[in-house]
């Protein structure tokens, strides 16, 4: 099975990894894993002020801060995962990567704000479910 692990470095991503580690069917060297994170785009004025290379370097460093610990966690469980990151809104970026990469499952942690919280703040999980045809496992 080809599994996309969507992470953001939050406590919810850590909960998702803890959940996976207790379910051998989901965390197994028999599967192929890609760990993915999305970096927010900076405002155009900020990008113009510091330059393209500085922005790209910053986003790469921030992505590595999120992806590195997850990759190490998976290595401790005998899994050598690929890592990937993109710039853009998290929900739609996760959905696009899941479909273009032909993944069998997307796994992500959910904050669990509820209906009112989603209405006010939006939800990455809701965006993934709305924009993705790949089955998703939300860990709360």
């Amino acid at each position: 099975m080809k599994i996309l692990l969507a992470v953001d470095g939050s406590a919810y991503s850590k909960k998702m990894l803890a959940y996976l580690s207790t379910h051998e069917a989901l965390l197994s060297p028999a599967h192929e894993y890609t760990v993915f994170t999305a970096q927010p785009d900076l405002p155009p004025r900020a990008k113009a002020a510091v330059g393209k290379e500085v922005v790209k370097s910053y986003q790469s460093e921030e992505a590595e801060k999120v992806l590195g610990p997850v990759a190490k966690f998976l290595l401790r469980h005998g899994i050598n995962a690929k890592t990937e990151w993109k710039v853009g809104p998290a929900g739609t970026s996760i959905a696009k990567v899941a479909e273009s990469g032909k993944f069998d499952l997307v796994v992500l942690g959910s904050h669990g704000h509820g209906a009112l919280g989603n209405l006010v703040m939006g939800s990455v999980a809701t965006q993934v479910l709305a924009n993705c045809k790949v089955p998703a496992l939300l860990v709360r």
Side-chain angles (χ1 to χ4, degrees):
M1 190 161 45
K2 199 170 171 188
I3 300 174
L4 180 66
L5 303 176
V7 297
D8 63 1
S10 70
Y12 302 99
S13 289
K14 291 176 185 171
K15 262 180 119 170
M16 180 262 295
L17 293 172
Y19 177 85
L20 289 178
S21 68
T22 61
H23 293 80
E24 289 180 25
L26 291 172
L27 193 65
S28 165
H31 302 308
E32 181 183 330
Y33 297 89
T34 299
V35 183
F36 176 79
T37 192
Q39 292 297 306
D41 200 6
L42 297 177
R45 285 185 181 220
K47 289 194 286 191
V50 296
K52 232 179 197 180
E53 290 303 314
V54 172
V55 170
K56 189 172 182 174
S57 174
Y58 168 76
Q59 289 170 325
S60 177
E61 288 172 15
E62 292 300 307
E64 185 52 38
K65 286 179 189 176
V66 173
L67 297 171
V70 177
K72 286 179 186 173
F73 170 85
L74 293 171
L75 273 175
R76 286 194 303 267
H77 287 85
I79 296 166
N80 189 13
K82 297 174 191 169
T83 58
E84 187 177 336
W85 65 275
K86 294 201 181 301
V87 175
T92 53
S93 296
I94 293 166
K96 285 179 186 175
V97 168
E99 289 188 13
S100 67
K102 297 186 173 142
F103 286 90
D104 300 307
L105 179 66
V106 177
V107 183
L108 65 153
S110 174
H111 293 226
H113 292 300
L116 181 60
N118 287 347
L119 180 65
V120 175
M121 295 178 279
S123 167
V124 171
T126 302
Q127 292 171 4
V128 171
L129 294 173
N131 294 303
C132 188
K133 293 180 177 98
V134 176
L137 172 63
L138 304 179
V139 179
R140 218 170 129 183

